[in-house]
Amino acid sequence: MNPSFPAASRVALVCTLASALLVAPAQAQTSEAPASEAPIATPSPAAAVPAAPSRQDTEALVVSAPTPATRPMFAFGNETYFINPVLAIAGGLHSENLLVNPNPNKESRITTVAIGRFGVEGRLGPYVTFRSEFERNIRSHGSGIWEGTASMSVRDQVLRLQRWGATVEAGIVLDPASVDYFSAHTGDVLVADKYTRDPLLYSGFNRGQGVQARYTRWGLTAGLSYTEANPLSSSASFMVGGSFGGSSRFWERPLGSFRNGQPDDDFHFRVVSPSLSYDHPWFEAKAMAQVFNINYQTNSTDDPAIQGYNARGNVKLKLKGMVPSLPFEVTPFFNVARVENDVANSVAGYSNTLLDTRFNALSLSGGLDVFLSGRSGVGFHIARVADQTPSFIQPTGTNEGSEPVVGSTTTYLNVGATWWMFDQVALGARVATFAREVEGKPEAEERDLSGFLTLRLVL
C-alpha cells in the first residue's frame, strides 16, 4: 500500500547513510531520549559511556523510538544539531508447511528471507526533529531481489515540533495509539510477515500521510491524528470491510486500475482519530476512536458517502521481580477493536446505493512476554479476527431482494524466543500458525504452520 520511489532517490539515500557511518566520531556520546522529548540539557561527562539499548527496541520496529536528546554513537554533528543513520536488517530461514489450502496441489517450501530498513533521523536544536525511513520489503518467497523486482516502500517521513509537553507532526506519520501491544519476541522479521503484520492492520494500525498532535502530562497523553487523501495514503484503510466492486476489499480497489503508473485516484479517504493513552511504571493503557468517511467516486456527485468507525482499546501490565538473583519482567497484554462501516451495492442496476446491512468485525488479541536479565526471553501472541460481510441478491419474480451475511474467522498464533547476543544483534526463533474459515464454504478454508530462524540487526 506504500508508494514506491525512483532509483535516484535510493542512490542518494544510500550515499547519505554511508557518509554518516564513515564520519561518525569514534568517541561520539550517546544518551537515551526521554519519552517526552524535553528540551535538551547539557550532557554530563558520564554520558560519554554508550548506553545499552532499551529492551523496547523490538517494539520500536513499529513505533519508532524518540529521536535521542544528544548525539548518538553513529551520528555526526554536534550535541544538539546532528543527523543519525537508521538501519535494521533481518534475514534467515522460513519453513512454510501448508496444511489446508484452497489449491490442494500447492506445495510447501523452505525460503530464505531478507528485509532491510534504512534512512536518517536527526535533531535541529531543542524542539525540532525529523525522520526519513525506507524499506526493502520482504516480498513473497524471496521474489524481491533480482533485476529490478525489489519492492521498496516509504515509511516514516516526518517533521516533528515539540515544546511544553506538546508534539505536532506532519508528513508520513505513525499514530502510536493505533498500534496494538504485541510480543517483542515475535519481531524477528521486523513485524513484516503475515503472522504479525496482518493482525495489526485489521485492528486499525495507522501509518500514513497526515498530521497529528499530542499533549503529555503526568503520564497521560491526549492525541488527535488526521488523514484525508487517497486510501493508499494510510494503512488505516485496511480495516474497512465489505466487497467493493466484485470481491475486492476497499484498500485493493485503487490498485485495480493504474493510470500512468499511478493507483486509481477516483477514491478519497478521510479518517479522524482522537485517542487517550496512559503510561505508568506498572502498566500501560490506550483507547482510540477512528471515524472515517469514504468518497467512493470523486468523479461523480451521485454516489453516497460510505461512513464507519473503529473503537479500540489496549492494556499491558509490567511485572518485575528477581529469581533468585536473576532479574526478570513479565508483560501480559490484551487488545480489542471493533470496526463497522457501510458497504456499497456493487450489483449492476443498483449503483450509487448502499446496502442496509453494514460490515462489522471484531479483533481480539493478547499474549505475554518474559524478559530474563535484559531483552532476551520468550513470548507468545494470539489474534482472532471475526467479520460479517453482507452481499446483495436481486429480487426475482415474487422473491424480494435480500442481503445475506457471510462470516469468516481468521486466527494467528506466534510463539517466539529472542537472544540478544550483542547490543545491536539478536538471534530469533519462532513458530507461527494461520487459519481461516469461511462460513458455509469449506473449500475456502486455509491452515498453515511456519517456522522462522533469523538474525536481526537494529541500530
Side-chain angles (χ1 to χ4, degrees), residues 53-102:
S54 163
R55 70 159 179 80
Q56 299 297 342
D57 282 350
T58 305
E59 295 182 12
L61 296 174
V62 175
V63 184
S64 301
T67 303
T70 56
R71 187 177 61 192
M73 181 184 301
F74 298 105
F76 66 93
N78 60 35
E79 290 305 316
T80 57
Y81 287 80
F82 60 81
I83 186 169
N84 184 49
V86 173
L87 181 63
I89 300 172
L93 299 173
H94 172 206
S95 172
E96 180 187 48
N97 184 21
L98 303 179
L99 305 177
V100 178
N101 193 274

Side-chain angles (χ1 to χ4, degrees), residues 20 22 59 64 94-95 197 203 219 229 242 261 319 326 349 376 389 419 446:
L22 288 173
E59 295 182 12
S64 301
H94 172 206
S95 172
R197 187 192 77 144
S203 69
L319 311 174
L326 179 68
S376 300
T389 303
W419 175 35
E446 291 184 69

Side-chain angles (χ1 to χ4, degrees), residues 355-406:
L355 299 182
D356 293 329
T357 307
R358 305 186 93 198
F359 168 88
N360 70 83
L362 179 65
S363 297
L364 298 172
S365 66
L368 180 145
D369 273 334
V370 178
F371 298 93
L372 300 173
S373 190
R375 295 178 292 162
S376 300
V378 296
F380 78 92
H381 184 188
I382 184 170
R384 180 180 183 272
V385 183
D387 61 58
Q388 301 287 319
T389 303
S391 59
F392 182 71
I393 298 178
Q394 302 182 59
T396 55
T398 58
N399 297 324
E400 297 182 354
S402 62
E403 298 183 358
V405 174
V406 176

Side-chain angles (χ1 to χ4, degrees), residues 40-390:
I40 308 302
T42 302
S44 65
V49 180
S54 163
R55 70 159 179 80
Q56 299 297 342
D57 282 350
T58 305
E59 295 182 12
L61 296 174
V62 175
V63 184
S64 301
T67 303
T70 56
R71 187 177 61 192
M73 181 184 301
F74 298 105
F76 66 93
N78 60 35
E79 290 305 316
T80 57
Y81 287 80
F82 60 81
I83 186 169
N84 184 49
V86 173
L87 181 63
I89 300 172
L93 299 173
H94 172 206
S95 172
E96 180 187 48
N97 184 21
L98 303 179
L99 305 177
V100 178
N101 193 274
N103 179 1
N105 295 318
K106 190 173 183 178
E107 296 181 314
S108 304
R109 66 185 91 178
I110 295 177
T111 304
T112 50
V113 295
I115 184 172
R117 292 174 184 164
F118 54 92
V120 292
E121 65 176 355
R123 177 175 288 280
L124 304 175
Y127 309 117
V128 179
T129 61
F130 63 90
R131 184 180 179 91
S132 176
E133 182 183 1
F134 300 86
E135 175 181 285
R136 182 270 179 189
N137 303 144
I138 194 170
R139 291 296 296 263
S140 178
H141 303 108
S143 60
I145 187 63
W146 186 249
E147 289 295 330
T149 64
S151 177
M152 308 296 292
S153 297
V154 181
R155 287 172 59 84
D156 295 337
Q157 305 292 318
V158 57
L159 176 64
R160 181 181 299 114
L161 307 178
Q162 295 164 303
R163 191 168 187 179
W164 300 319
T167 301
V168 176
E169 297 176 325
I172 298 178
V173 300
L174 187 149
D175 190 339
S178 73
V179 183
D180 284 348
Y181 296 120
F182 61 94
S183 170
H185 301 299
T186 63
D188 44 4
V189 289
L190 313 188
V191 196
D193 59 286
K194 73 174 183 180
Y195 305 99
T196 55
R197 187 192 77 144
D198 288 5
L200 295 179
L201 291 172
Y202 279 121
S203 69
F205 172 79
N206 188 7
R207 168 184 271 118
Q209 185 172 304
V211 295
Q212 66 180 4
R214 296 189 299 275
Y215 180 73
T216 300
R217 190 173 180 84
W218 303 309
L220 184 67
T221 300
L224 180 67
S225 66
Y226 176 73
T227 290
E228 182 162 357
N230 188 285
L232 298 184
S233 68
S234 169
S235 62
S237 62
F238 194 93
M239 67 183 171
V240 180
S243 176
F244 293 85
S247 58
S248 298
R249 285 177 62 90
F250 174 63
W251 70 268
E252 297 174 304
R253 292 297 298 145
L255 299 173
S257 175
F258 277 76
R259 299 175 180 177
N260 300 321
Q262 297 296 324
D264 197 320
D265 198 36
D266 291 343
F267 307 88
H268 197 70
F269 181 65
R270 176 193 302 134
V271 57
V272 181
S273 306
S275 63
L276 281 175
S277 305
Y278 184 68
D279 191 352
H280 187 273
W282 296 347
F283 71 93
E284 297 177 21
K286 298 186 284 190
M288 165 181 272
Q290 296 171 305
V291 181
F292 52 89
N293 181 286
I294 298 167
N295 186 340
Y296 191 58
Q297 290 290 339
T298 59
N299 56 5
S300 171
T301 58
D302 296 330
D303 61 307
I306 297 174
Q307 299 178 333
Y309 70 89
N310 183 31
R312 300 168 32 86
N314 320 86
V315 63
K316 178 172 72 173
L317 303 180
K318 296 179 281 189
L319 311 174
K320 300 180 181 181
M322 191 84 67
V323 180
S325 59
L326 179 68
F328 73 90
E329 182 172 353
V330 179
T331 58
F333 55 86
F334 177 75
N335 311 289
V336 60
R338 187 184 188 279
V339 63
E340 181 176 310
N341 61 261
D342 298 321
V343 178
N345 193 334
S346 57
V347 175
Y350 293 86
S351 60
N352 298 327
T353 63
L354 300 177
L355 299 182
D356 293 329
T357 307
R358 305 186 93 198
F359 168 88
N360 70 83
L362 179 65
S363 297
L364 298 172
S365 66
L368 180 145
D369 273 334
V370 178
F371 298 93
L372 300 173
S373 190
R375 295 178 292 162
S376 300
V378 296
F380 78 92
H381 184 188
I382 184 170
R384 180 180 183 272
V385 183
D387 61 58
Q388 301 287 319
T389 303

